Amino acid sequence: MSRRSGESPHGSAHRWDTCIAFESPVREWDALRDLARMSEVQRRALEGLSDWSSHSGLGYGWLMFAPADPAAFDPTRRRVRVYTRPAGAFAEYRQRDYLADEDALWALFLQYAAGVGVSQAREIAPLQLSDWYLCTHGRVDSACGKYGAALLRQLPEHRLYRTSHFGGHQYAPTLLELPAGRSWGHLTPELTRQLLERSGDGRALAPYYRGWSALPEAAQRADAAAFAQYGWRWLDAPRCAEVSWEGRQASACGSKPRRMGLSRLLHWKPPENAPTCCSFPAARTHLTCFRLRSTG
């Protein structure tokens, strides 16, 4: 419905500095999201994370991905991937991989998201490949269950992980690319192959780019405008952004490496029917500017 109505997915990626993805059979997904059914270890960890989030004003990402062989899954040796934001301008998050039991898993959340304690999880070498997480969580939203699962069946040759809900179900099928931290939506098998293989003109994928989790919503939209203009090389460029509201204008200032030779303003203006919301006060009249400047 979202795609047929022409709704743009730009600016819809979940904003976070830390994301933790862990191996979990599909049968566990609902219980791990249900306060009444989760373990005491998980409940205490989430309470600690909630307190930290309330005081810091920050959030974190987490998702569950199905094991390649459910029959061989060992809950005492779950594979866990931790993605953290480096300092300054960057193009992808840092990644560290672990094997963890339940206690060590939730201790990783507290260690990396809230900066509390040290987990006893065993660190292992990460695969030097991109991880592609495809939402198929039909119990949360039927669109992801229908369109995400169908896309997964049509791309058996690619390294896609069947994944729990991570937001943006209205853009199903939706894909999260890590450690890059980029989200995509409204995908087809052809578009997904182009994305995974980095083939053809990347600018053709700009309408399906939900956003980069390193940026707030206003800057995500301007980041998408830059991708639409410069293609794949823009996604590989270290960059950052700050959004400030001045009068009736919003500005997002970003940075990029000098070798791209860019020094101009990119603009995004909300459509006339854009609703007023917390991210865009008086959105109908605001203009977002993404300033590209050299970092040396």
Side-chain angles (χ1 to χ4, degrees), residues 111-133:
Q111 175 183 340
Y112 280 100
V116 176
V118 177
S119 173
Q120 297 303 306
R122 180 166 70 88
E123 188 165 7
I124 59 175
L127 297 174
Q128 300 302 311
L129 298 169
S130 292
D131 298 318
W132 300 90
Y133 299 101

mmCIF file of all heavy atoms in Angstrom, residues 111-133:
data_model
loop_
_atom_site.group_PDB
_atom_site.id
_atom_site.type_symbol
_atom_site.label_atom_id
_atom_site.label_comp_id
_atom_site.label_asym_id
_atom_site.label_seq_id
_atom_site.Cartn_x
_atom_site.Cartn_y
_atom_site.Cartn_z
ATOM 1 N N GLN A 111 26.795 -3.632 28.408
ATOM 2 C CA GLN A 111 28.178 -3.175 28.219
ATOM 3 C C GLN A 111 28.286 -2.180 27.076
ATOM 4 O O GLN A 111 28.878 -1.098 27.236
ATOM 5 C CB GLN A 111 29.084 -4.376 27.949
ATOM 6 C CG GLN A 111 30.533 -3.995 27.622
ATOM 7 C CD GLN A 111 31.384 -5.210 27.286
ATOM 8 O OE1 GLN A 111 31.041 -6.340 27.626
ATOM 9 N NE2 GLN A 111 32.490 -4.982 26.601
ATOM 10 N N TYR A 112 27.711 -2.518 25.931
ATOM 11 C CA TYR A 112 27.919 -1.690 24.745
ATOM 12 C C TYR A 112 26.922 -0.548 24.608
ATOM 13 O O TYR A 112 27.275 0.533 24.137
ATOM 14 C CB TYR A 112 27.895 -2.550 23.490
ATOM 15 C CG TYR A 112 29.208 -3.262 23.257
ATOM 16 C CD1 TYR A 112 29.368 -4.599 23.603
ATOM 17 C CD2 TYR A 112 30.303 -2.594 22.727
ATOM 18 C CE1 TYR A 112 30.580 -5.258 23.398
ATOM 19 C CE2 TYR A 112 31.508 -3.228 22.519
ATOM 20 C CZ TYR A 112 31.645 -4.562 22.860
ATOM 21 O OH TYR A 112 32.843 -5.195 22.669
ATOM 22 N N ALA A 113 25.670 -0.772 24.997
ATOM 23 C CA ALA A 113 24.685 0.302 24.854
ATOM 24 C C ALA A 113 24.745 1.277 26.024
ATOM 25 O O ALA A 113 24.800 2.497 25.830
ATOM 26 C CB ALA A 113 23.284 -0.287 24.732
ATOM 27 N N ALA A 114 24.774 0.740 27.252
ATOM 28 C CA ALA A 114 24.708 1.602 28.435
ATOM 29 C C ALA A 114 26.062 1.842 29.089
ATOM 30 O O ALA A 114 26.163 2.675 29.998
ATOM 31 C CB ALA A 114 23.745 0.988 29.450
ATOM 32 N N GLY A 115 27.102 1.104 28.660
ATOM 33 C CA GLY A 115 28.417 1.280 29.262
ATOM 34 C C GLY A 115 28.504 0.757 30.672
ATOM 35 O O GLY A 115 29.262 1.280 31.504
ATOM 36 N N VAL A 116 27.752 -0.310 30.978
ATOM 37 C CA VAL A 116 27.696 -0.878 32.327
ATOM 38 C C VAL A 116 28.239 -2.300 32.316
ATOM 39 O O VAL A 116 27.730 -3.158 31.576
ATOM 40 C CB VAL A 116 26.251 -0.885 32.870
ATOM 41 C CG1 VAL A 116 26.192 -1.566 34.236
ATOM 42 C CG2 VAL A 116 25.701 0.530 32.946
ATOM 43 N N GLY A 117 29.266 -2.578 33.112
ATOM 44 C CA GLY A 117 29.774 -3.929 33.266
ATOM 45 C C GLY A 117 30.548 -4.428 32.059
ATOM 46 O O GLY A 117 30.722 -3.719 31.059
ATOM 47 N N VAL A 118 30.989 -5.684 32.171
ATOM 48 C CA VAL A 118 31.731 -6.352 31.100
ATOM 49 C C VAL A 118 31.172 -7.758 30.940
ATOM 50 O O VAL A 118 31.128 -8.534 31.900
ATOM 51 C CB VAL A 118 33.244 -6.421 31.400
ATOM 52 C CG1 VAL A 118 33.968 -7.178 30.299
ATOM 53 C CG2 VAL A 118 33.830 -5.023 31.566
ATOM 54 N N SER A 119 30.752 -8.101 29.745
ATOM 55 C CA SER A 119 30.193 -9.416 29.474
ATOM 56 C C SER A 119 31.286 -10.484 29.446
ATOM 57 O O SER A 119 32.435 -10.205 29.082
ATOM 58 C CB SER A 119 29.450 -9.410 28.132
ATOM 59 O OG SER A 119 29.030 -10.710 27.779
ATOM 60 N N GLN A 120 30.901 -11.703 29.780
ATOM 61 C CA GLN A 120 31.811 -12.848 29.706
ATOM 62 C C GLN A 120 31.689 -13.584 28.372
ATOM 63 O O GLN A 120 32.198 -14.698 28.228
ATOM 64 C CB GLN A 120 31.527 -13.817 30.853
ATOM 65 C CG GLN A 120 31.763 -13.217 32.234
ATOM 66 C CD GLN A 120 33.185 -12.694 32.380
ATOM 67 O OE1 GLN A 120 34.152 -13.423 32.154
ATOM 68 N NE2 GLN A 120 33.314 -11.419 32.765
ATOM 69 N N ALA A 121 31.046 -12.966 27.397
ATOM 70 C CA ALA A 121 30.927 -13.585 26.071
ATOM 71 C C ALA A 121 32.320 -13.776 25.466
ATOM 72 O O ALA A 121 33.227 -12.992 25.705
ATOM 73 C CB ALA A 121 30.076 -12.707 25.161
ATOM 74 N N ARG A 122 32.447 -14.829 24.671
ATOM 75 C CA ARG A 122 33.739 -15.116 24.034
ATOM 76 C C ARG A 122 33.802 -14.438 22.675
ATOM 77 O O ARG A 122 32.983 -14.699 21.799
ATOM 78 C CB ARG A 122 33.920 -16.638 23.871
ATOM 79 C CG ARG A 122 35.259 -17.002 23.214
ATOM 80 C CD ARG A 122 35.570 -18.472 23.380
ATOM 81 N NE ARG A 122 34.703 -19.338 22.606
ATOM 82 C CZ ARG A 122 34.955 -19.690 21.336
ATOM 83 N NH1 ARG A 122 36.022 -19.234 20.715
ATOM 84 N NH2 ARG A 122 34.131 -20.511 20.703
ATOM 85 N N GLU A 123 34.793 -13.572 22.487
ATOM 86 C CA GLU A 123 34.915 -12.859 21.221
ATOM 87 C C GLU A 123 35.511 -13.767 20.152
ATOM 88 O O GLU A 123 36.437 -14.543 20.426
ATOM 89 C CB GLU A 123 35.774 -11.613 21.371
ATOM 90 C CG GLU A 123 35.788 -10.728 20.134
ATOM 91 C CD GLU A 123 36.321 -9.332 20.376
ATOM 92 O OE1 GLU A 123 36.825 -9.063 21.493
ATOM 93 O OE2 GLU A 123 36.210 -8.502 19.451
ATOM 94 N N ILE A 124 34.972 -13.667 18.952
ATOM 95 C CA ILE A 124 35.455 -14.439 17.809
ATOM 96 C C ILE A 124 35.693 -13.491 16.637
ATOM 97 O O ILE A 124 35.218 -12.348 16.640
ATOM 98 C CB ILE A 124 34.452 -15.547 17.402
ATOM 99 C CG1 ILE A 124 33.088 -14.928 17.027
ATOM 100 C CG2 ILE A 124 34.299 -16.580 18.503
ATOM 101 C CD1 ILE A 124 32.095 -15.935 16.496
ATOM 102 N N ALA A 125 36.422 -13.963 15.656
ATOM 103 C CA ALA A 125 36.726 -13.119 14.493
ATOM 104 C C ALA A 125 35.471 -12.948 13.633
ATOM 105 O O ALA A 125 34.816 -13.939 13.283
ATOM 106 C CB ALA A 125 37.841 -13.750 13.671
ATOM 107 N N PRO A 126 35.113 -11.721 13.267
ATOM 108 C CA PRO A 126 33.951 -11.515 12.399
ATOM 109 C C PRO A 126 34.279 -11.873 10.956
ATOM 110 O O PRO A 126 35.437 -11.804 10.526
ATOM 111 C CB PRO A 126 33.666 -10.021 12.533
ATOM 112 C CG PRO A 126 34.999 -9.417 12.837
ATOM 113 C CD PRO A 126 35.738 -10.441 13.665
ATOM 114 N N LEU A 127 33.270 -12.265 10.215
ATOM 115 C CA LEU A 127 33.436 -12.465 8.781
ATOM 116 C C LEU A 127 33.565 -11.100 8.120
ATOM 117 O O LEU A 127 32.855 -10.157 8.457
ATOM 118 C CB LEU A 127 32.229 -13.214 8.203
ATOM 119 C CG LEU A 127 31.997 -14.632 8.722
ATOM 120 C CD1 LEU A 127 30.688 -15.175 8.165
ATOM 121 C CD2 LEU A 127 33.145 -15.539 8.337
ATOM 122 N N GLN A 128 34.469 -10.961 7.206
ATOM 123 C CA GLN A 128 34.689 -9.679 6.538
ATOM 124 C C GLN A 128 33.720 -9.516 5.374
ATOM 125 O O GLN A 128 34.106 -9.347 4.220
ATOM 126 C CB GLN A 128 36.147 -9.581 6.071
ATOM 127 C CG GLN A 128 37.158 -9.665 7.196
ATOM 128 C CD GLN A 128 36.955 -8.578 8.239
ATOM 129 O OE1 GLN A 128 36.819 -7.398 7.902
ATOM 130 N NE2 GLN A 128 36.932 -8.961 9.507
ATOM 131 N N LEU A 129 32.445 -9.578 5.692
ATOM 132 C CA LEU A 129 31.381 -9.472 4.696
ATOM 133 C C LEU A 129 30.266 -8.601 5.247
ATOM 134 O O LEU A 129 30.115 -8.467 6.476
ATOM 135 C CB LEU A 129 30.812 -10.861 4.361
ATOM 136 C CG LEU A 129 31.753 -11.890 3.734
ATOM 137 C CD1 LEU A 129 31.089 -13.266 3.736
ATOM 138 C CD2 LEU A 129 32.102 -11.487 2.305
ATOM 139 N N SER A 130 29.475 -8.040 4.365
ATOM 140 C CA SER A 130 28.295 -7.309 4.819
ATOM 141 C C SER A 130 27.243 -8.293 5.299
ATOM 142 O O SER A 130 27.103 -9.404 4.765
ATOM 143 C CB SER A 130 27.718 -6.463 3.682
ATOM 144 O OG SER A 130 28.584 -5.405 3.344
ATOM 145 N N ASP A 131 26.513 -7.907 6.338
ATOM 146 C CA ASP A 131 25.395 -8.708 6.843
ATOM 147 C C ASP A 131 24.101 -8.053 6.368
ATOM 148 O O ASP A 131 23.896 -6.846 6.562
ATOM 149 C CB ASP A 131 25.423 -8.758 8.377
ATOM 150 C CG ASP A 131 26.679 -9.412 8.924
ATOM 151 O OD1 ASP A 131 27.096 -10.436 8.349
ATOM 152 O OD2 ASP A 131 27.234 -8.911 9.911
ATOM 153 N N TRP A 132 23.240 -8.841 5.752
ATOM 154 C CA TRP A 132 21.987 -8.330 5.186
ATOM 155 C C TRP A 132 20.818 -8.949 5.955
ATOM 156 O O TRP A 132 20.576 -10.146 5.885
ATOM 157 C CB TRP A 132 21.888 -8.683 3.708
ATOM 158 C CG TRP A 132 23.009 -8.111 2.899
ATOM 159 C CD1 TRP A 132 24.213 -8.701 2.622
ATOM 160 C CD2 TRP A 132 23.049 -6.829 2.261
ATOM 161 N NE1 TRP A 132 24.995 -7.877 1.857
ATOM 162 C CE2 TRP A 132 24.307 -6.718 1.620
ATOM 163 C CE3 TRP A 132 22.148 -5.768 2.167
ATOM 164 C CZ2 TRP A 132 24.670 -5.581 0.895
ATOM 165 C CZ3 TRP A 132 22.515 -4.646 1.443
ATOM 166 C CH2 TRP A 132 23.757 -4.563 0.823
ATOM 167 N N TYR A 133 20.091 -8.101 6.687
ATOM 168 C CA TYR A 133 19.007 -8.565 7.546
ATOM 169 C C TYR A 133 17.664 -8.196 6.914
ATOM 170 O O TYR A 133 17.360 -7.018 6.733
ATOM 171 C CB TYR A 133 19.139 -7.937 8.929
ATOM 172 C CG TYR A 133 20.425 -8.295 9.650
ATOM 173 C CD1 TYR A 133 21.497 -7.408 9.691
ATOM 174 C CD2 TYR A 133 20.565 -9.531 10.279
ATOM 175 C CE1 TYR A 133 22.679 -7.739 10.352
ATOM 176 C CE2 TYR A 133 21.745 -9.873 10.946
ATOM 177 C CZ TYR A 133 22.789 -8.966 10.976
ATOM 178 O OH TYR A 133 23.962 -9.296 11.627
#
